[in-house]
Every structure is written in structure tokens, then in C-alpha cells.
Amino acid sequence: MNARTLTLPAAWPVATTLGCLAAALAMTVLLALGSGAVALSPGAVLAALTGTGSDDGAALVVRTLRLPRVMLGVIAGAGLGIAGAAMQGLMRNPLADPGLIGVSSGAALAAAAVVVLGGLLPGAGGALSAVLLPAAAFTGAALTTALVYAASRQDGRSSVTRMLLSGIAINALTLSGIGLLMFMGSDAQVRQFTFWTLGSLAAATWPGVAAAAAATAVALHALLRRAGPLDALALGEAQAGHLGVDTARLNRSCVLLIALSVGATTALTGTLGFIGLIAPHLARRLVGPAHAGLLPASALCGAVLVVLADTAARTWVAPAELPIGVLTALIGAPFFMMLLRSRAARELH
Amino acid sequence: MLSAHHLGVRVGGRRLLDELTLALEPGQLCVLVGPNGAGKTTLLRALSGDLDTADGEVRYGDRPVRDLGALERARLRAVLAQHQRSDLDHLARDVVALGRYPHHLGRPTAADRAIANEAMALTGCSALAHRVCGTLSGGEQARVHLARALAQVWTAPPGGHALLLDEPVAALDIAWQHRTLACAREFARQRGTSVLAIVHDLNLAARYADRMVLLTGGRLREDGPPDQVLRSPALADAFGLRCRVLDDDGSGRPLLVAEAAD
């Protein structure tokens, strides 16, 4: 069966699908909160969350140790999901992903540069790093997004091949930048580079989660207001212009909003590859391509994916912890190959 | 009313349009004909406001197009480009609904949905409403995009709307070529819209046009009722073909027949 015929927006209201996805996310969060060295049933997790349980140890584990981390996973997944959806809409290109084309690593490079050059460690340095790291990550993400966007255009049109090739170049550039920083950094700083390149949710703190949540909410809200213009953009840049969309302005604001959501999460989690690619694809199957449904659905799908991946990363080889980026790449890379073979292959000119 | 005044467009030292003056009449289907490279699409792009013209100006009513924003233009005229993206994941219904975007800006009313449905009925694609656009045939997609353009200019403000169609029948079979031009003419008459269409088939064009404009080398060569333009020696001249004009007893209209090229 053709994959396109699986989209069911006519028969199945988008709001219902979004409700189901939200329920799936809630269950995933319960599962994640109950998993770990101290295994807890969903009932025990709920009791610990609401403070009605008698087990103080469980309450401590769930509320203090696991909840910030799981919430960071939710926010990071949502941020990458909407960034991926917006980027695919903006570039009219199903292969756009903030990780794949170097936006995440641009953010990570900028944040790592602050750490090494500023003599800071993530989590240390207090207020300075709490402001400086996200700001640097945002700037890095914005610069790389703008760079890839500019490089992927030719004669006013966006080309898949140019986007992927310029992504390769930018990834190589950021990797060499990170390599240079490793060379310059202290031993303790170098150990932190796994964090930037393969990601981790281990450093979750409530202030960080709150800041990332605020940035992601702003990005989602602003992108939803642009859902109509993004839909029109699917027809082509000239056609969108004929429908009254100021495409130059739309492009600029989308680049900034993508950078906001990628930068805010990357500063806290390092790079989580492929989430921005997979989440919008799942979401498109469920709610169709219209951005009013696609953006929230991508946020929910991304959140479920990251929380699941993080839960697997911290429980599979316990008490050690796999870098989460290893897992997302393990799922994401074959998924990307599959996309290349199927529909996207027709568009590669 | 959409009009061009002493329009001049140059690209890389080549004159694409030269001192061109043309006013579209509300309620009329005006067909633009001419050989390849005559400047038809350039004129259409200038009229739509996509192209900055070096000389002269395009006016919507009495306002120069360069004073209008993208949204204002979108409320006054619809453009159907020659090529459309053929791999859209959207349902045909949703593509047509996008035509109403400049009027509702993301919050469609019941009236907008009704207009989209009527536009689909008019172009014969109601049955395709719930199909994914990318799975439709080229001709079906062309009708969906035509419905989108019609929906965009469905409600006419004082002074009238304009509909600019770049080769709207290129992808269609002969029956839909006729139906599409009949539909464009009906739309113009019923809604007082100024419709401009680029068409290559001269006999087809003459059959439905209220007015025919011949463009060669960026200049307006002939402008008048189709019968008159079809009989004009300038037409055969423009294409560099020897032609005969036959009178069709059935319709009482002239038919152009080209002699074999040397």
C-alpha cells in the first residue's frame, strides 16, 4: 500500500489524534519515571507524584531524581520535533533535520566554545552559564540554519542535494571546531565533549528545564501562527507569494524560531541526532501535512521518542549509561536510509 | 481593473517587454498568444506584480502595483503558474482551500469552505476532494490548482478581480481544454473578473476568447476580437508559418490551418 494513503485526516479528526498522542506521551512519561535502579509500577509513580504514597524513598527518586530528567526529555523532544517540522516545511524538503544538516552541532560547538574559552563547565559557573550557554547555543544554531538555508538555495529555489551537501560541509566544520576545542581544553572539559557530541539528559535541573520549556513554548506558539503561510509555502515560493505570503519575512522568522528551539534544548542536552527527522515523519502519517496539526503532533512524537530513548539509554547497561545519541542514531540512520530509498529519492536531482 | 502602461522589461541587455500598454476589461476572457519567447510569461509576471519593471508601471485600479503589499495583491488577483509541484502530500480539498488564505489569514469561515467547494465543483474536481494531490494525474492536479486560483478571486470587490492563467490547458486532454476555457469565460462573465490566459492552441483560444492579444518580441502586435486577430496577416507572420484561414460552416468562425513547414 502506498504510504501516502495512510494519512487519514478526513475520517479521523486531527484533535482526536493529538489527544491520543498526548495520552501516549503521558504513559511514556509514567513508564520512564518508573524505570531505573528502583523499579516502580505506574501506580506507585502516580502516588509518588501526587504525594499520596507512603514510600518517601520512591517520592524522592521520582520527584527529585527522575522527574527533571524526564521533563527535559519531553521538552528536548518537543523542541527538536517542531524544529524538524518547521525546517522540512521551510525547505519543502522531507530530509531536513536540525541534526543532519549541522544546526545541532553548530549549537553544540558554540556552547562548547563558551565552556572551554570561558573556563566553565556545564552546570558549574551558576548564573553565567545558565544564560551564556543557551545564548551561545541559540547563536550557533541560528548561524548554521541561516548558512545551510542560504547555501541550499539556487535561483530562488531550495534544492535537496545542495542542502545535504552543505550540511555535510557544515558538520565537518563544526566537528573540526569541536576537535580544536578538545585540543585546547582541560581533561575535565574534554570528558564533557561526549555530552556535546552524543547528548545526555543527565544534567537536568529545574531552572534549565523551565528555560527550555519557555523557549520551546514560544517557538511552538509563533510557528503555529505561521501554520497557514507554511502550508502555502508547500506549493512553492512563488505560489505562496501569489497567495499573499511575505516569503522573505517568513523565511527569516522561521530560521530564528528553529534556532530558538534547537538552541534552547541543545544547550541542556547536547546533540540528539535524527529526532527532528523522525518525529515530523511519524506526525505526518498521523495528522497529514497541514502545519496546524503537524507542529503539535511533531512535538508530541519527538517527546515520546526522546523519553523512550533516554529510558533505554539509562537502563539497558545499568549501572552504566549509554550516550542517548548512540541510540537515536542507531534508529535514525536506518530510517534516513529508508527515506532516501523511498519517496525522497524521486526529488534528488 | 488591471492595466499595464508603457511597460519595459530588460534582462541581461535583452528587451523582454517593450513599451507595452494593455488594459484588461472586467468580465472578459482575454487570451494572450504569441510564439515562444515573445514575452507572454514575462507580461503575466509583470501584471501579477512578481517582476519589477524598469520602465512604465502596472496598476490595479489607479494604484501602482509597487505600492501594494503581497497580501493586498493576493486579494485582488490570483495567478496560476505554468508549473505546479507535483508531489504534494496535501488533500486536494486542502490545496483548494489555500486559495482563500489571503482572505481569512489562517482562520477559514464557513463561507471560505463553501467557496472552495463551489470552485471545485466548477472545475469538475469535487470527486477528488479527499484524494492526496500527489497521487492525482497531471490533468487532475491542474484542475485542482485552477480551482485554488478561482477560489482566491471568488468574491469580487468594487473594481473587479483579475485572474492570470499561464498555460492553464497545457496538461489537459482535449475535453478539459475546452471545459477549462469555457469555465474561465463563464467565471469572467458571472463575476466581472478580468481573466488573462496564455494559450498556445490558436483555434481553441479563438473559440472562447472575448479578446485576443498577439505578442511578438515583447511588443503588442494585434489586439481585438479573435476572428479579427485570427485573420490578421501579422499572426502567421509572428510564427513564421504560412497559414490559411478556413471558414467553419458549423460555427461561422474562422479556423486557422498551418501549411507544412519548410
Side-chain angles (χ1 to χ4, degrees), chain B residues 57-215:
Chain B
E57 66 181 9
V58 169
R59 289 183 209 147
Y60 286 26
D62 46 14
R63 300 177 64 191
V65 71
R66 53 173 76 94
D67 291 355
L68 300 173
L71 193 59
E72 277 179 289
R73 274 183 275 146
R75 287 174 177 162
L76 293 169
R77 61 94 184 92
V79 184
L80 185 65
Q82 198 171 340
H83 300 288
Q84 306 291 341
R85 215 181 130 178
S86 60
D87 59 349
L88 281 174
D89 276 334
H90 298 64
L91 299 184
R93 176 193 69 175
D94 296 339
V95 171
V96 177
L98 280 176
R100 296 302 297 167
Y101 173 76
H103 306 283
H104 62 61
L105 298 177
R107 296 182 189 282
T109 63
D112 290 312
R113 279 186 280 272
I115 287 171
N117 286 337
E118 282 183 66
M120 295 192 87
L122 200 60
T123 60
C125 51
S126 299
L128 310 175
H130 293 283
R131 299 262 310 270
V132 171
C133 211
T135 64
L136 301 175
S137 76
E140 288 170 334
Q141 291 195 26
R143 278 145 56 195
V144 169
H145 287 287
L146 177 65
R148 168 169 65 80
L150 294 182
Q152 189 180 341
V153 287
W154 198 267
T155 42
H161 267 141
L163 178 60
L164 307 173
L165 309 171
D166 195 350
E167 297 198 25
V169 299
L172 303 177
D173 66 36
I174 186 167
W176 275 108
Q177 290 185 357
H178 281 264
R179 285 186 201 132
T180 297
L181 287 185
C183 165
R185 186 178 62 180
E186 267 315 294
F187 191 82
R189 287 187 184 162
Q190 282 181 5
R191 309 205 159 265
T193 311
S194 317
V195 183
L196 181 76
I198 297 175
V199 178
H200 275 296
D201 183 335
L202 298 169
N203 289 318
L204 177 76
R207 195 71 188 249
Y208 295 96
D210 296 303
R211 174 185 180 190
M212 205 173 204
V213 171
L214 171 67
L215 209 61

Side-chain angles (χ1 to χ4, degrees), chain B residues 224-238:
Chain B
D227 289 10
Q228 176 195 318
V229 175
L230 223 51
R231 291 178 198 280
S232 152
L235 188 69
D237 204 38

Side-chain angles (χ1 to χ4, degrees), chain A residues 27-277:
Chain A
M27 283 190 280
T28 311
V29 165
L30 281 185
L31 173 83
L33 287 174
S35 308
V38 183
L40 296 167
S41 70
V45 169
L46 276 178
L49 279 179
T50 53
T52 53
S54 53
D55 186 347
D56 287 346
L60 179 81
V61 166
V62 169
R63 288 159 74 170
T64 315
L65 296 179
R66 290 185 191 160
L67 192 57
R69 179 170 186 156
V70 172
M71 282 301 117
L72 181 60
V74 169
I75 301 301
L80 291 173
I82 58 175
M87 196 173 260
Q88 289 171 15
L90 183 66
M91 300 195 176
R92 292 182 295 286
N93 179 339
L95 297 180
D97 164 56
L100 206 59
I101 63 176
V103 175
S104 297
S105 48
L109 171 63
V114 167
V115 172
V116 170
L117 303 177
L120 298 164
L121 283 173
L128 191 62
S129 71
V131 177
L132 255 185
L133 275 184
F138 167 74
T139 312
L143 283 177
T144 38
T145 311
L147 205 60
V148 173
Y149 180 74
S152 67
R153 287 167 66 83
Q154 192 175 30
D155 307 329
R157 289 180 56 202
S158 189
S159 132
V160 186
T161 319
R162 288 176 69 93
M163 180 203 73
L164 290 175
L165 292 179
S166 50
I168 290 174
I170 283 166
N171 260 326
L173 198 66
T174 51
L175 274 180
S176 89
I178 288 177
L180 183 66
L181 288 173
M182 282 178 79
F183 176 71
M184 292 163 62
S186 67
D187 282 355
Q189 287 169 337
V190 168
R191 271 196 293 282
Q192 290 291 333
F193 278 93
T194 322
F195 168 79
W196 295 115
T197 51
L198 290 172
S200 167
L201 302 183
T205 60
W206 280 121
V209 171
T216 307
V218 167
L220 178 61
H221 175 75
L223 284 169
L224 275 175
R225 288 187 52 197
R226 291 163 175 80
L230 280 169
D231 288 342
L233 200 59
L235 298 172
E237 206 146 321
Q239 279 81 351
H242 293 149
L243 287 168
V245 175
D246 184 340
T247 50
R249 228 177 80 192
L250 180 68
N251 290 343
R252 275 198 303 276
S253 57
C254 282
V255 165
L256 287 179
L257 292 167
I258 289 165
L260 178 66
S261 53
V262 174
T265 59
T266 304
L268 297 171
T269 67
T271 54
L272 306 177
F274 293 103
I275 300 298
L277 179 73

